[in-house]
Each structure stands twice: as structure tokens, then as C-alpha cells.
Amino acid sequence: MRARPGRAAIFEQFAADGITYMFGNPGTVEQGFLDEATNSRLSYVLALQEAAAVGIADGYARASQRPALVQLHSGVGLGNGIGMLYQAKRGGSPLVVLVGEAGVKYDAMDGQMAADLVAMAEPVVKYATRVVDPASTLRVLRRAVKIAMTPPRGPVMVVVPADVLDQETSEPAVPTSIPDTRVAPSAESLREAARLLSSARRPLILMGDGVAVSGAQQELTAVAERLGAPVWGVNSSEVNFDALHPLFGGQLGHMFGADSARVVGDADGVLIVGTYVFPEVFPSLTSPFSSDARIVHIDLDAYEIAKNFPVDLGIVADPRLALAGLADALGPRTPRPGLEAARAGTAAPAADDSLMDRFVRAVAERSPADLVVFDEALTASGPLARHLPPRVPGRFFQTRGGSLGVGIPGAIGIKLAHPELPVIGFTGDGGSMYTFQALWTAAREGVAAKFVICNNGRYRLLDLNIEQYWRELGITPHDPPAAFDLTRPEIGFTELAASLGVPGRRVDKPDEVEAAVEAMWAHDGPYLIDLAVS
């Protein structure tokens, strides 16, 4: 293989792996390889802040199921992106993050922007490393892609010193080898799982995004119907189970363990699949499961099985193959009391008279059938569940990992991954301001996603959480902290969006809804709605 500088060879490697986008914000120590990017077929998607770059890459990776390439600038850029990297780690997004630095030869100088970048990144990525040998540059990049794409997927960070990339390498650029992890459980394990679960009178299924990654939605439905078991989402931010199926129970909370305990405490047979338990900010320190519950946990991530609470049977296997085998082991589908009761008790969620409800209903009525929704509406998400329920895989994505600000960049990333599909992202007024500048990227790149700001003038989730805090400590309710208020001064979202190249309109009256939705879809490009919600 001919020798060429590492800064040129890396683009050959990206091409070999079919990577067509790099999301980033440039800096001086990356100028050498960014200059080489102009000679490649890779498109550099510029963001005005690193959190926005990582958020766009996260949406792209989720929608494409492919590795997303991110470029960050040294310690300061990595620091700005860390919150979104945590989101990607918790959500299992396969990001490959290149972080530039001045060079290995400057290690002893403790110069400007010097930092231990690997140590900075390790808590928020799946794997972090640094290239120190020019002859191993492409080897390290292939390793990063492999680790990012191997379940449990997650972000990987590679430090690329400028002086290493400036040296020549003769490494060939070849496609990364990604191992097949579709491991099937043994027949004995499946029989034991079927025995433990089929004897339950009050079965329950807890599902997560490992189901979507595996493409196991149909297999999960078959198992649920055979057991007559309600299915609840745990760290479930994609379409893992049809939200209109009579056995869909809903989503467990992400804040307090007591909320999950109320759902799972009565079950005597529990199947956990494709998730960890429990992803709450304040989890229960004691097992929320009944003492007589028989628990089966299926996941490709052995670390998460029985991590916090014992299980009767842990199976490290691909969810799709495991659920297919479990359905067979449970026997032919027969009517189950749980399923029939669920069907009898199922009713469409009641609509309300709020502006949010009317707006989402209009979106549902006036949008293409293949609409993709990114939901970061948080406290305003109820109408989305009523009128745009997640049913079709790849058509619904929700915030995960606890980071605010994913709604706008996430929708942009999804639209870049699937430009042929209509995409709309819902976010809050507070959350949107974390990454509002991502709209500039949408305008610059001509990304025709649509964006809705659910504007209540507050960090409303904090209002709800502090009310529970008061109840738990017996504190008399009173006005929430002034720090939760966003109305002094009010934010002009449409004006701000216009300054970034994205037109839009304010909607604060019911009779403005239909015209706003029509204008949004009629516009050939990104468009923003500032929606007043209570």
C-alpha cells in the first residue's frame, strides 16, 4: 500500500466503511485533516456548538442504524459535547467521536488546551483511546467503529493528535469487520424461561430499546400474547411494541423508583428484555418486585442482567432470536384471560381542549402517513401519545438519557438519514435553548425537518418534580423557585429562528392551528412553530 499522511488515510477508511457525513465544530488542532476533507466525498455538517453536533449525530445514528462520525475540538470541544455523549451512551447510539489535540510531541509542555482527553471522555463513552503510532491510525479507527456498532452499542472516542496524522502510514483502508452477535439461547434455557413465565397468574413484560435494535417487535408481541402479559416500556424511546396494542401498558417513570414499584410490585412472573432496570434518577434501593416473582432477563449486555436485583434466569442472547424461541417454547397461541381483559378494557385516550391537543390532532390529520416524530415535548407529550402514537418501527424517537436539547438536533439527524421522509421534532421552550443554534445547521444544509416549540414559559418538569419532593418531605406547597421561570424576559422563538435562517410562526389561539400546520408542510425547508401550551 502506498504511503500517505494519516490525515488523508483516515478519509479512505471512512469511505471504506460507507461513512458519508462528519458532524462537528472545527478547531485549529484539527485543521490539517479538515483541510483534507475537501478532497473526499464526505460531507462536513457544521454545527455552531459541540452539543448540537453530537445531538445531530445521535439522531442520524438512531435513524440510520449506522455509525455516525463526530469531530470535536480538543478539551474545550469535548467538554461542550459531554452532556450529549452521556445521552448517546445511555441510549446506545453508535457514535465515533474524533477529538483533536496539538500533538504527542507536546505532551510534556502542559500547553494551552492540554488535557487528558481519554480520562475526560471515559465516563460518558463506551470506549476511549488515543492514536500514538502513525502505523496504527486506521487500525484504531476500525476498532472504534467495531466497538461502537457491537451491541451493546455506544459512543467511542478517539483522540487524533495532529503530529500523528501528519506522518505517513502505509496501512490499507479496508471495511471494518463487525461481528455478528445474533446469539441464540440454548433450548434448555428457553424451556426454563417458558416454565417460569407460563405458570404466572399475573405476568408482566418490561421492554427497552434493545428490542428495536434487534428488530424483535413481532417476536415480543407473540410472547406477550401467549402470556397475556401487559408490556411496559423501560428506557424505551423507540417503537418496541405497538402503542395501540391492547397489552401495551405505557411507560414507566424515569425519576422515582416508587412509580415503577407500583407497576411491577404485583407481578408474579416478569420478563425483562432489551433494557436495564431501572433507569430512574432516584431508583428504589430495595427490589420493587414481589418476593414470589419469577424473573427472566434477556439482553445482549451481560452487565445489565441482575445488575441491581437478582433474577431467576438470565439469558445473554439476541432479543429477536430469544423471543422467537421463547414463543415456540410457550406453545401455540391460545386465548389468555389477560389478553381478553386488556382488549375489553382498552379505550382510546380522551382528548382535551388544550391548544397542544388541538395542534397535534391537526398534525395527525394533515401529515403524510409515513411521518417520523421526535418527541422531546416531555410534560406536553400526552397529546402526542393520543394522536401520534408510536406504532411503526423507525417512525418514532424519544429523548433518552436525561439530556435536554435533543429534540431539534435529533430531528435534523433523522432527516439527514432519511431525506425522503417527513420529519417533525417536538421540544420544550427550556430544552430547545440548549441547542437552538442547530436550526442554523438545518438552514445551511437545507434539512427540511419541522420543529415545534412547546412553550409554557417554564421548566415545567421541575415544577412537577418539586411538588413530589414537597409531598415526600411533608413540606407545605408554595411557589416554586423563580429559577424555573423563563418569561423574564420572554424568548422570541420565531424571531430567533428567523435570524438563523428558519422561518416560522407563533400559535397561541385555537383558530390559528390549521393554517399553521398547512403553512409548515407547505414550506420547502426547515420551519418552526412556537406553540403556546399551558
Side-chain angles (χ1 to χ4, degrees):
M1 182 68 187
R2 65 178 177 84
R4 70 282 196 216
R7 64 179 183 272
I10 63 174
F11 291 99
E12 297 175 14
Q13 184 59 52
F14 301 150
D17 283 325
I19 295 174
T20 55
Y21 288 108
M22 178 186 288
F23 307 95
N25 183 265
T28 302
V29 297
E30 301 89 26
Q31 61 191 3
F33 77 79
L34 291 179
D35 189 37
E36 289 285 348
T38 61
N39 300 320
S40 75
R41 294 184 178 180
L42 184 145
S43 297
Y44 187 90
V45 179
L46 175 62
L48 298 180
Q49 209 265 2
E50 291 84 356
V54 178
I56 295 171
D58 181 76
Y60 180 87
R62 294 178 68 178
S64 67
Q65 293 294 297
R66 296 274 303 149
L69 182 64
V70 182
Q71 171 267 320
L72 300 179
H73 173 50
S74 197
V76 290
L78 175 59
N80 284 340
I82 275 179
M84 284 294 179
L85 284 175
Y86 178 82
Q87 155 103 1
K89 181 183 180 183
R90 281 293 187 180
S93 292
L95 308 186
V96 176
V97 183
L98 303 185
V99 180
E101 66 168 20
V104 174
K105 65 185 177 184
Y106 300 112
D107 276 4
M109 300 303 293
D110 192 25
Q112 179 80 312
M113 294 192 295
D116 187 343
L117 299 175
V118 171
M120 282 182 65
E122 280 180 332
V124 296
V125 298
K126 182 180 176 184
Y127 175 74
T129 190
R130 183 187 190 212
V131 180
V132 294
D133 179 10
S136 293
T137 301
L138 304 191
R139 179 182 294 114
V140 172
L141 289 179
R142 286 193 293 272
R143 184 178 303 159
V145 171
K146 184 197 77 168
I147 294 173
M149 286 295 293
T150 303
R153 295 175 179 174
V156 172
M157 193 275 291
V158 179
V159 180
V160 284
D163 57 357
V164 173
L165 292 187
D166 285 341
Q167 298 179 60
E168 291 192 339
T169 179
S170 297
E171 289 182 280
V174 297
T176 297
S177 300
I178 299 173
D180 182 357
T181 59
R182 286 197 175 274
V183 180
S186 68
E188 180 182 0
S189 293
L190 291 172
R191 286 193 296 269
E192 177 64 6
R195 185 188 69 80
L196 291 169
L197 296 170
S198 62
S199 60
R201 293 180 298 166
R202 302 177 303 279
L204 180 75
I205 296 175
L206 302 177
M207 64 170 182
D209 285 338
V211 173
V213 171
S214 177
Q217 293 91 344
Q218 291 185 0
E219 289 76 11
L220 176 60
T221 301
V223 169
E225 291 181 349
R226 281 164 170 76
L227 292 173
V231 180
W232 285 79
V234 184
N235 198 42
S236 179
S237 62
E238 299 185 7
V239 180
N240 300 298
F241 193 80
D242 184 350
L244 294 188
H245 192 285
L247 286 173
F248 180 66
Q251 298 274 10
L252 295 187
H254 71 283
M255 286 299 300
F256 304 100
D259 296 333
S260 298
R262 281 190 288 271
V263 173
V264 308
D266 187 53
D268 60 350
V270 180
L271 171 62
I272 306 167
V273 59
T275 184
Y276 59 100
V277 287
F278 288 93
E280 300 135 345
V281 177
F282 303 103
S284 173
L285 298 177
T286 59
S287 176
F289 298 108
S290 171
S291 59
D292 67 346
R294 297 294 174 259
I295 303 173
V296 176
H297 194 161
I298 299 171
D299 205 332
L300 269 172
D301 189 354
Y303 171 74
E304 296 296 348
I305 296 175
K307 179 178 73 175
N308 291 321
F309 309 113
V311 302
D312 293 277
L313 179 62
I315 300 176
V316 180
D318 175 70
R320 184 175 182 179
L321 296 180
L323 289 170
L326 178 57
D328 289 341
L330 288 168
R333 185 177 307 182
T334 57
R336 297 278 304 211
L339 179 58
E340 297 309 314
R343 284 178 174 151
T346 299
D352 57 43
D353 295 325
S354 70
L355 191 61
M356 178 71 182
D357 195 90
R358 181 163 180 169
F359 181 85
V360 177
R361 185 167 63 247
V363 170
E365 293 170 350
R366 298 168 184 263
S367 299
D370 53 357
L371 178 66
V372 181
V373 174
F374 193 106
D375 173 18
E376 196 199 10
L378 298 177
T379 57
S381 288
L384 290 176
R386 282 191 288 273
H387 302 297
L388 293 170
R391 305 195 65 192
V392 179
R395 298 292 186 268
F396 177 86
F397 301 87
Q398 197 170 44
T399 181
R400 58 190 182 186
S403 298
L404 285 180
V406 299
I408 291 175
I412 294 171
I414 292 168
K415 184 66 174 177
L416 283 169
H418 294 292
E420 76 284 2
L421 297 177
V423 177
I424 185 169
F426 290 82
T427 185
D429 48 347
S432 71
M433 290 306 297
Y434 284 64
T435 53
F436 201 82
Q437 62 270 58
L439 290 176
W440 181 88
T441 300
R444 174 186 174 93
E445 300 292 334
V447 180
K450 315 303 178 184
F451 310 94
V452 180
I453 307 295
C454 303
N455 186 351
N456 56 27
R458 302 191 60 78
Y459 290 119
R460 180 68 72 192
L461 184 62
L462 298 183
D463 288 339
L464 301 177
N465 289 343
I466 202 169
E467 288 173 3
Q468 180 154 343
Y469 173 77
W470 291 336
R471 287 193 297 270
E472 290 180 355
L473 295 186
I475 297 173
T476 302
H478 51 278
D479 291 338
F484 299 176
D485 173 55
L486 299 175
T487 62
R488 295 183 294 116
E490 291 188 4
I491 302 170
F493 286 104
T494 55
E495 295 84 357
L496 189 56
S499 74
L500 297 170
V502 176
R505 63 170 65 188
R506 166 81 174 182
V507 176
D508 52 19
K509 297 177 182 177
D511 60 5
E512 298 170 344
V513 165
E514 283 74 16
V517 172
E518 290 180 0
M520 177 181 71
W521 289 122
H523 181 71
D524 184 20
Y527 195 89
L528 180 134
I529 299 289
D530 177 13
L531 181 66
V533 299
S534 57

